[in-house]
Amino acid sequence: MPSSKSPIPTTGTLVLELASAEALTPEVRRLRLRSPDGRQLPAFSAGAHIRVHTPGAGGEPTRCYSLVNSDSDGRTYEIAVKLEATGRGGSRFMHQLAAGDRLAADPPKNDFALHAEPHEALLIAGGIGITPILSMARQLQAAGRPYALHYGARSEELMPYRTEIEAVAGAQAHLYFDGGDPSRGMQLASMLGAPQASRHVYVCGPRALIDATLDQAQRLGWPRSHIHFELFAAPAATAADRGVTLHLARSGRQLEVPAGTSILDALIAAGCDPLFDCRRGECGVCAVRMLDGEIEHRDYALSDEEHAEGMVCLCVSRARSPSITLDL
């Protein structure tokens, strides 16, 4: 019987209880979460995620997981977690939870929402990236809105939610099994086609899929405002990353940034108070002007024109010169 208690407030940390868990593939586990006292959970829309606190995991002790279900009952959050053998411990923590265990999470946040105006949605997913895309398909299907879903995995056995996708989307779902050979997978150029004012693209999955989709869409002339994606991690460090001497023009300060540290983190550690939000190069909040030096841009927020004008996203961009000077 539904609880008569008032809904949980939409701010502050949530306490969630694992109601059930099951394996969707050898690597992916479905988790259904609820309030321990049966109250309604804060509402969400398709594309939303929760940030789960994962004690004991290395690095930042939280992980973001997209909500897979719709908001129909208001009492359950469903997420799916892929076990990352080389990860920092967050996925192992989530895979070890048992029914009745409790965890802390921030209320749902949506940085990957469906466009508000009527349109045709082209949904593209790879691997565990299906989680927000399936929620979108459910919402679009319920609303009777036009869409197509393209989903790729290495094999049928490694494709989470295959049965649910076929039940929800039917003929609108197109599944690809490439066996590790990209030539057998999605043909992005033909899928995207020529840009249309009434079409928007939503893509989630491995960074290579997102980058390839953005690159192909740009080649075809798609406006950036019609392409939507979400990343939960910053670009990985590379062997080319180097330390840099950071000069702050306004304050006159000089900082040494180690090769494995972002410029943003170095500024924060030095007691500066830079603006930032996503830490993934998506939002552009941390962008500042570079007055001197060479930089490798790894963000998705700034345009080529803004890069040419010297704007730099501090959270992901890396120096390619021994020193850089920022307008800070």
Side-chain angles (χ1 to χ4, degrees):
M1 179 178 296
S3 170
S4 61
K5 296 178 181 178
S6 59
I8 295 174
T10 58
T11 58
T13 303
L14 305 175
V15 176
L16 300 174
E17 179 180 271
L18 180 61
S20 65
E22 65 176 302
L24 297 177
T25 75
E27 299 175 326
V28 177
R29 193 184 195 208
R30 182 208 314 254
L31 305 176
R32 291 190 174 97
L33 306 168
R34 65 189 176 194
S35 167
D37 58 8
R39 287 194 291 174
Q40 276 196 313
L41 297 169
F44 65 93
S45 56
H49 67 269
I50 55 173
R51 181 177 290 274
V52 175
H53 300 248
T54 52
E60 187 180 356
T62 61
R63 300 292 186 275
C64 293
Y65 298 105
S66 296
L67 295 168
V68 188
N69 56 317
S70 66
D71 192 29
S72 57
D73 68 2
R75 300 184 185 280
T76 306
Y77 291 157
E78 180 180 332
I79 61 175
V81 182
K82 180 182 178 182
L83 182 62
E84 301 287 355
T86 60
R88 296 173 295 171
S91 65
R92 288 193 296 273
F93 170 81
M94 299 298 289
H95 271 245
Q96 291 168 1
L97 293 172
D101 285 348
R102 297 184 179 184
L103 49 79
D106 297 341
K109 181 181 180 184
N110 201 338
D111 298 322
F112 189 38
L114 288 165
H115 185 61
E117 299 299 323
H119 67 286
E120 178 186 355
L122 177 60
L123 309 178
I124 302 174
I128 196 62
I130 189 59
T131 50
I133 297 297
L134 180 52
S135 183
M136 291 178 176
R138 286 177 168 142
Q139 181 172 316
L140 292 166
Q141 185 74 25
R145 293 170 58 181
Y147 74 96
L149 191 161
H150 297 264
Y151 180 28
R154 293 178 68 91
S155 67
E156 296 182 25
E157 295 75 20
L158 297 179
M159 177 174 275
Y161 290 106
R162 181 183 178 188
T163 301
E164 286 91 335
I165 291 164
E166 293 174 335
V168 170
Q172 286 152 217
H174 308 272
L175 308 182
Y176 306 81
F177 308 104
D178 64 17
D181 179 1
S183 67
R184 296 168 51 193
M186 302 179 197
Q187 302 303 307
L188 291 172
S190 59
M191 283 168 46
L192 290 165
Q196 301 176 30
S198 61
R199 295 185 80 206
H200 284 248
V201 176
Y202 303 84
V203 56
C204 189
R207 188 177 299 272
L209 173 62
I210 294 174
D211 287 345
T213 302
L214 292 171
D215 180 66
Q216 191 59 248
Q218 183 178 22
R219 292 172 184 269
L220 292 169
W222 280 73
R224 180 63 183 81
S225 59
H226 284 217
I227 308 166
H228 314 273
F229 64 96
E230 184 167 49
L231 298 166
F232 284 148
T238 72
D241 291 347
R242 61 185 299 168
V244 63
T245 300
L246 189 64
H247 300 282
L248 307 183
R250 295 189 192 181
S251 66
R253 297 185 64 182
Q254 177 175 305
L255 307 175
E256 296 299 325
V257 183
T261 302
S262 71
I263 298 172
L264 175 65
D265 286 339
L267 289 169
I268 294 171
C272 302
D273 188 25
L275 292 174
F276 68 93
D277 185 13
C278 74
R279 290 180 176 265
R280 300 183 300 272
E282 292 180 49
C283 68
V285 170
C286 68
V288 300
R289 189 174 302 281
M290 182 178 68
L291 303 177
D292 186 59
E294 297 179 11
I295 204 88
E296 179 183 325
H297 298 285
R298 299 183 185 175
D299 67 275
Y300 296 86
L302 303 179
S303 66
D304 292 341
E305 291 76 14
E306 289 171 314
H307 289 157
E309 293 170 357
M311 297 303 294
V312 173
C313 279
L314 304 178
C315 64
V316 294
S317 299
R318 297 285 179 165
R320 288 292 172 262
S321 56
S323 66
I324 60 173
T325 302
L326 299 177
D327 188 18
L328 289 174

